[in-house]
Amino acid sequence: MMKEQDKKYLLDSIRAIKDFPKKGIIFRDITTLLNNKNAFAFLMDHLVEKYQNKELDYIVGIESRGFIFGAALSARLKLPFVPIRKPGKLPFKCIQESYSLEYGTDSIEIHTDAFNDSKNAKVLLIDDLIATGGTAIAAIRLIEKLNAKCIEACFLLELKDLDGAKELAKLTSVYSILEV
Ligand code: AMP
C-alpha cells in the first residue's frame, strides 16, 4: 500500500479535463504525470517494489496507456511484455473479445502466440484507469483463452462510482493505486 501523502502527490500530477472527449466526462490525463520525471519514476519504483517477487511470467498492457506503464515495468522486472490492442493493429494471428460500451460494442485482440504456448503462465494485467471494467474483463477472457492466468489487474486510477473494479474482482485480484 502507498502512503496517503504519496497518493496525493501522484494524483496531483494527473490533470483532470472536463467534458473530454464528450460532455459530462472528466478525462484523467496522465500525460502530466509522464511529463513529471519525479512522479513517473516514483510510480515505477512503487510498481517494481510491489511486483518484483511475485514470480510473474508476463506483463500484459491494454492499448494504449497500459503500454506505457506495462512496458516500462516489464523492462524494469526483465519480464516479457504483451500488448492487447484494438482490432486490426496486431499483424500476426489473433483472437478477439468484444465488450459492451454505453452505446454499442468494442473489441480487443491479442496475438495467439503471446504466451508462447506455455500453460498457466502467470500474468499481470496493467492499464492506466478502470471505469466500467469492460475492457479489463475482456482482456482477462483473452488471457484465459490462451491458457494463461491473470493473477492481478493493476490500475493507476480507479473510478469508484462505476463499480468496474467490483465486477473485475470476481475474476482476479485488483490493485488500484489511486481512487477517485
Ligand atoms: P472501462 O472499460 O470502462 O473500464 O474503460 C477503461 C478504458 O477507458 C481505459 O483504457 C481508460 O484509459 C479509458 N477511460 C475510461 N474513462 C476514462 C476517463 N475518465 N479518463 C481517462 N481514460 C478513461
Side-chain angles (χ1 to χ4, degrees):
M1 278 294 277
M2 188 181 276
K3 286 189 222 142
E4 285 308 314
Q5 75 188 63
D6 292 339
K7 286 187 188 177
K8 183 172 181 327
Y9 167 66
L10 277 185
L11 192 57
D12 287 348
S13 76
I14 299 168
R15 174 164 58 189
I17 305 211
K18 265 193 199 153
D19 298 324
F20 182 88
K22 55 183 181 184
K23 217 171 165 43
I25 307 270
I26 301 174
F27 190 85
R28 305 290 166 171
D29 175 19
I30 56 130
T31 63
T32 46
L33 182 157
L34 300 173
N35 205 269
N36 176 336
K37 65 180 185 196
N38 295 322
F40 191 20
F42 177 77
L43 169 67
M44 294 315 302
D45 286 347
H46 172 74
L47 291 175
V48 167
E49 197 188 333
K50 180 161 173 66
Y51 290 111
Q52 62 188 349
N53 295 318
K54 293 287 195 293
E55 293 175 7
L56 295 166
D57 298 311
Y58 293 88
I59 294 178
V60 172
I62 302 176
E63 182 169 357
S64 55
R65 279 159 278 153
F67 292 178
I68 300 168
F69 302 114
L73 184 61
S74 284
R76 293 277 304 267
L77 295 181
K78 294 200 165 58
L79 287 173
F81 176 76
V82 172
I84 283 184
R85 300 205 65 177
K86 301 278 161 59
K89 302 280 188 183
L90 290 170
F92 188 65
K93 197 177 164 209
C94 290
I95 53 168
Q96 192 180 89
E97 271 289 333
S98 297
Y99 56 97
S100 350
L101 302 170
E102 199 178 347
Y103 306 103
T105 63
D106 218 338
S107 303
I108 48 174
E109 293 185 342
I110 192 169
H111 275 152
T112 53
D113 65 350
F115 306 120
N116 303 297
D117 296 322
S118 59
K119 294 261 184 295
N120 298 315
K122 285 190 188 170
V123 170
L124 174 70
L125 179 68
I126 294 205
D127 203 357
D128 65 328
L129 183 146
I130 179 162
T132 65
T135 317
I137 288 170
I140 288 179
R141 286 203 296 261
L142 286 177
I143 291 165
E144 287 177 349
K145 272 186 183 169
L146 295 179
N147 301 312
K149 185 160 176 43
C150 179
I151 62 150
E152 188 152 282
C154 172
F155 305 92
L156 174 57
L157 207 57
E158 171 180 333
L159 303 186
K160 281 195 67 121
D161 288 354
L162 290 171
D163 281 344
K166 261 191 217 158
E167 279 305 306
L168 186 63
K170 294 174 186 167
L171 303 176
T172 190
S173 159
V174 179
Y175 176 56
S176 307
I177 301 171
L178 310 172
E179 294 174 340
V180 283

